[in-house]
Amino acid sequence: MSMLTPPGMGGRKYRITGDRYPRMRRPRHRRRIILTIVAAACALGLAGWGTLQLIDVFGGRSGTAHAAQGEQPCRDGAEADTAEAKTAARKLPAPGTLTVNVFNATPRSGLAKRTADELQKRGFKIGKVGNAPAAYDKKIKGAGILLGPQAAADGPLKVLATQLTGAQQKTDGRKGAELDLIIGNTFKALATQQAAGKSLSLLTHPSPAPAAATKC
């Protein structure tokens, strides 16, 4: 074997020409290539997943889902308000079930009779009509005072108050269910029948509270 024969060539003879010699190629790094391919695939997968998430958010799907989840409490709140309104309507008595005593605490004559007649036309039952007791006679500066038992505070007195704007509502220790309407110095007339009817309607059928204020 010639001294110019590269190692590993066995006994084969090669003709050497010029200044170039045959060389052995190094084995390729297959492991590095495989790892590079796997890393590239993972990167592409993550990029694709992130793109889908952005499309989902900006496309409105997530907002729609969150809105749908938030609608249920609002519907429940509206149903609760409706139930509360119906309960309030059942508790309030009709004018025809209330007996009202009308007293005049002013120097002007005839106010008690005219007021009692008007209340009767509007469906109220009329009890006593006359001058106010000494404790109130000539001592009421406002439009009037509505008196009744403590049990009437949340129902009968509120119904009667729809007929006299600005009247003060009070309760005392009486045992009966009758109400007193005592006319004061600034009294001019009862509320118009239309205005009183509207107030009574709002009282017996209160509007439900807005969904936002609330509870959404």
Side-chain angles (χ1 to χ4, degrees):
M1 183 174 64
S2 174
M3 294 180 63
L4 297 176
T5 302
M9 292 297 183
R12 297 179 182 180
K13 296 181 179 181
Y14 291 87
R15 184 178 181 181
I16 305 301
T17 60
D19 56 353
R20 296 185 180 182
Y21 297 88
R23 298 179 181 275
M24 295 294 292
R25 290 185 178 180
R26 294 183 180 180
R28 296 181 179 178
H29 299 286
R30 294 182 179 179
R31 182 178 299 176
R32 183 180 299 175
I33 295 173
I34 293 174
L35 291 177
T36 302
I37 294 174
V38 171
C42 292
L44 289 175
L46 290 174
W49 180 81
T51 302
L52 289 176
Q53 293 299 315
L54 290 175
I55 293 174
D56 187 30
V57 171
F58 289 101
R61 295 179 184 176
S62 297
T64 303
H66 290 305
Q69 293 177 357
E71 286 178 358
Q72 185 61 33
C74 294
R75 288 196 297 269
D76 293 342
E79 292 174 359
D81 292 336
T82 302
E84 183 178 354
K86 291 181 179 179
T87 301
R90 287 195 298 268
K91 289 182 179 179
L92 293 175
T97 63
L98 303 179
T99 299
V100 182
N101 302 318
V102 183
F103 300 116
N104 183 8
T106 74
R108 294 172 288 170
S109 62
L111 287 182
K113 180 66 168 63
R114 292 196 297 270
T115 302
D117 290 344
E118 183 61 29
L119 286 175
Q120 190 172 23
K121 292 178 182 179
R122 300 181 184 187
F124 290 88
K125 294 181 179 179
I126 302 301
K128 301 176 182 178
V129 178
N131 294 326
Y136 296 100
D137 192 26
K138 313 295 190 301
K139 298 177 182 179
I140 301 178
K141 297 180 180 180
I145 292 179
L146 306 179
L147 285 175
Q150 294 181 356
D154 293 331
L157 282 177
K158 292 184 180 299
V159 173
L160 182 58
T162 61
Q163 310 299 313
L164 181 57
T165 304
Q168 184 180 3
Q169 301 177 43
K170 290 185 177 182
T171 60
D172 54 21
R174 68 182 65 189
K175 296 181 180 180
E178 293 185 354
L179 308 177
D180 295 344
L181 188 158
I182 306 176
I183 300 172
N185 291 332
T186 63
F187 174 85
K188 294 182 179 180
L190 293 174
T192 64
Q193 193 165 356
Q194 182 179 2
K198 184 177 180 180
S199 298
L200 185 60
S201 177
L202 291 175
L203 185 64
T204 54
H205 299 88
S207 301
T214 356
K215 301 177 183 177
C216 295

